[in-house]
Amino acid sequence: MARSWTRLHEYLGHPPGPVTYDMVAEAVRRKLGESDDLDCKEALPAEPRVKGECNEFAKDVAAMANTRGGLLVYGVSDAIERVGIDLDKVNDKQLGQWLRVHLQPTVSGVSYLKLPATDGSGKDLLVVDVPASEMAPHFLYGWQQKDKDRTTFNAPYRHRDDTDYMSEYQVALAYRGRFARQDAADAALNQHMRHTTELVLGESENHAAAWLVVAARPTRPIPRMVPALSRAQAQHVMSQSSKRAASLLASAIPMPRLLGPQLFPHLLDNNPRKGLRRWVDTNMLVPARATHRCRILVELHHDGTVVTAVDLSHSASPYTGVGEGEGDVCLPVAAWVLISAAFETVSLVHEHRLALHAGTPIDLCAALESGGGFRFVPVVVGHRRPEIAEWARQPRTIQPAHTELAPFSDDQALIAAATDLAEGLLHQFGMDILQT
């Protein structure tokens, strides 16, 4: 998905939004020069003449991704004049294939914007939007005719309005930056998990419960300059995610099961309240909205983070059992509620990302939390009613489950992510989603 804030937006003073033909035309008229995040190309990318030769398109994309992202504009000459290209000759599948073949690792999230002329000139344009990569440095390999034939495996980057190759020192810095970003992303995700866990356990002082806590965070958070969702937009995200979750659940679990109504639309009234740079919808933190039903917390953060928490013991509380040791306290875990919450959370994450126009991977973490000292006892559906799974393990601790959503995920990818989260936890009981 193309970014909503680029060099063109900044130069023209436009608010965040899609890149349009008129924006490019105006920038050309004003003679906006090339820079580290803007590169103009007169002709469309061409296939290398000889097999194994370095691919110029792959080099240009890698250079942008290795620097801070940017735009490749095809149909504009070096003299900053519109010359146009033939959009019928644009093959984005071929362009994507070149990136996979010629780069290591490949660059994801690249968008191809075909912009037909709107002024009657016939000078159509292609804009390739390259996001800054969390996986930089990206290396280009092949052979080049430069001074003499030589094989290259170098990391290109943008230096002002030119493309060059990184030195060993720059490559080391790029790797250090990658690892630092990964550490920071992990730390931020863990912080959301800790904060939410403390919050829900604090609400459970007089009622021991097993909580499913899920945090999802973009690997590249949404910039603060991007407008936050309005209340109406947040409501639309929740409404759409409920519809998508119903479809995903029906596809993943075709057998008739006692999953009951979906949790979020059934137990929340889709009336999110303002929080600290987030929208919060819950039935447990506002006294006027307190309920004896299953407690749920949903947060949509302005930086793209989504947090959910669900009380898994509520609907299973009458069916708790006795642990193996004397004096053991067992917390029932409604397996069907866990599965539904996992699918609804993944759907919510996906719809939230679409609403924010965020073309970035998303890391997800799910954990079972109880405050410590309890055994988790799985409760499943037997003969159309809940019952303890006597054959299942009853662990005291459950390791968190992790998964990732790619920048552009279809329904199958969403099902896979939700299944990863649910079964990552259920497998520790010796179960899967079809045994619930």
Side-chain angles (χ1 to χ4, degrees):
M1 184 177 294
R3 295 170 301 149
S4 59
W5 182 261
T6 67
R7 166 73 65 176
L8 297 179
H9 293 81
E10 180 184 19
Y11 178 73
L12 299 173
H14 282 217
V19 173
T20 66
Y21 185 90
D22 291 340
M23 289 174 61
V24 179
E26 177 62 16
V28 170
R29 188 187 69 79
R30 296 191 195 180
K31 297 296 182 182
L32 173 61
E34 294 182 332
S35 60
D36 62 346
D37 59 353
L38 181 63
D39 193 6
C40 296
K41 304 287 183 181
E42 185 168 334
L44 287 172
E47 189 170 2
R49 293 168 296 178
V50 181
K51 186 176 182 180
E53 186 178 4
C54 280
N55 185 285
E56 282 294 314
F57 175 70
K59 182 183 78 171
D60 293 334
V61 169
M64 289 290 186
N66 283 337
T67 309
R68 58 173 179 147
L71 303 177
L72 301 172
V73 182
Y74 292 89
V76 176
S77 68
D78 290 339
I80 316 300
E81 295 180 351
R82 279 184 297 154
V83 294
I85 48 93
D86 185 354
L87 288 180
D88 291 336
K89 294 183 179 179
V90 176
N91 186 341
D92 49 2
K93 290 185 178 180
Q94 178 67 76
L95 297 177
Q97 177 67 14
W98 288 344
L99 299 183
R100 290 187 290 272
V101 169
H102 292 277
L103 297 180
Q104 181 62 38
T106 190
V107 177
S108 62
V110 178
S111 300
Y112 306 96
L113 309 177
K114 301 176 183 178
L115 305 178
T118 59
D119 57 3
S121 66
K123 296 178 180 178
D124 301 338
L125 301 171
L126 171 68
V127 175
V128 179
D129 190 348
V130 183
S133 177
E134 301 299 315
M135 294 302 294
H138 298 270
F139 285 82
L140 172 76
Y141 58 94
W143 64 267
Q144 291 180 320
Q145 289 183 338
K146 198 171 186 180
D147 297 330
K148 59 182 180 179
D149 291 353
R150 64 187 179 92
T151 301
T152 183
F153 187 68
N154 292 314
Y157 75 104
R158 293 287 291 177
H159 177 63
R160 297 179 181 173
D161 61 349
D162 196 15
T163 297
D164 206 344
Y165 290 105
M166 292 183 180
S167 64
E168 181 183 19
Y169 174 70
Q170 289 172 306
V171 169
L173 284 179
Y175 274 118
R176 188 179 303 172
R178 180 203 285 187
F179 300 145
R181 287 190 297 271
Q182 290 174 337
D183 289 344
D186 290 343
L189 194 65
N190 291 334
Q191 184 178 22
H192 283 298
M193 294 291 292
R194 288 195 302 272
H195 173 78
T196 305
T197 298
E198 291 171 1
L199 178 63
V200 297
L201 291 183
E203 293 293 318
S204 305
E205 290 181 356
N206 299 319
H207 172 59
W211 285 88
L212 172 67
V213 177
V214 184
R217 188 173 186 274
T219 57
R220 186 172 59 257
I222 309 303
R224 282 180 174 264
M225 66 185 69
V226 176
L229 297 183
S230 65
R231 186 193 303 274
Q233 290 172 318
Q235 291 172 324
H236 181 72
V237 165
M238 296 193 68
S239 175
Q240 289 298 110
S241 69
S242 297
K243 296 175 183 177
R244 185 180 293 274
S247 174
L248 298 182
L249 275 167
S251 298
I253 309 177
M255 299 169 58
R257 310 195 62 80
L258 186 61
L259 286 174
Q262 286 180 262
L263 299 170
F264 297 171
H266 179 60
L267 299 175
L268 300 175
D269 56 12
N270 196 9
N271 183 29
R273 310 292 180 89
K274 282 187 177 180
L276 179 60
R277 289 191 56 78
R278 71 197 70 180
W279 289 104
V280 181
D281 201 2
T282 182
N283 59 11
M284 55 182 271
L285 300 179
V286 180
R289 302 174 71 187
T291 176
H292 295 295
R293 296 180 297 178
C294 176
R295 294 171 296 173
I296 294 177
L297 171 71
V298 172
E299 295 183 349
L300 302 179
H301 292 240
H302 299 347
D303 69 353
T305 299
V306 172
V307 176
T308 64
V310 177
D311 179 356
L312 299 183
S313 298
H314 180 274
S315 57
S317 55
Y319 306 98
T320 187
V322 179
E324 296 176 354
E326 183 177 352
D328 275 345
V329 177
C330 298
L331 293 181
V333 175
W336 69 92
V337 177
L338 187 156
I339 294 169
S340 182
F343 274 79
E344 291 182 64
T345 299
V346 167
S347 300
L348 186 63
V349 169
H350 179 68
E351 294 296 336
H352 190 223
R353 177 172 59 178
L354 292 179
L356 291 171
H357 306 290
T360 175
I362 294 182
D363 293 327
L364 296 97
C365 177
L368 288 185
E369 304 288 354
S370 68
F374 305 111
R375 287 189 179 277
F376 294 108
V377 179
V379 177
V380 298
V381 177
H383 305 293
R384 306 294 293 176
R385 64 184 298 273
E387 61 183 34
I388 292 176
E390 301 286 355
W391 44 267
R393 293 195 290 266
Q394 299 180 5
R396 289 186 182 275
T397 59
I398 298 289
Q399 294 300 313
H402 297 267
T403 192
E404 179 183 274
L405 277 180
F408 307 100
S409 299
D410 58 15
D411 282 357
Q412 289 305 310
L414 298 179
I415 290 173
T419 302
D420 282 346
L421 289 182
E423 292 196 331
L425 300 175
L426 291 175
H427 283 173
Q428 297 176 66
F429 294 103
M431 304 166 57
D432 58 40
I433 63 172
L434 295 181
Q435 292 177 296
T436 58

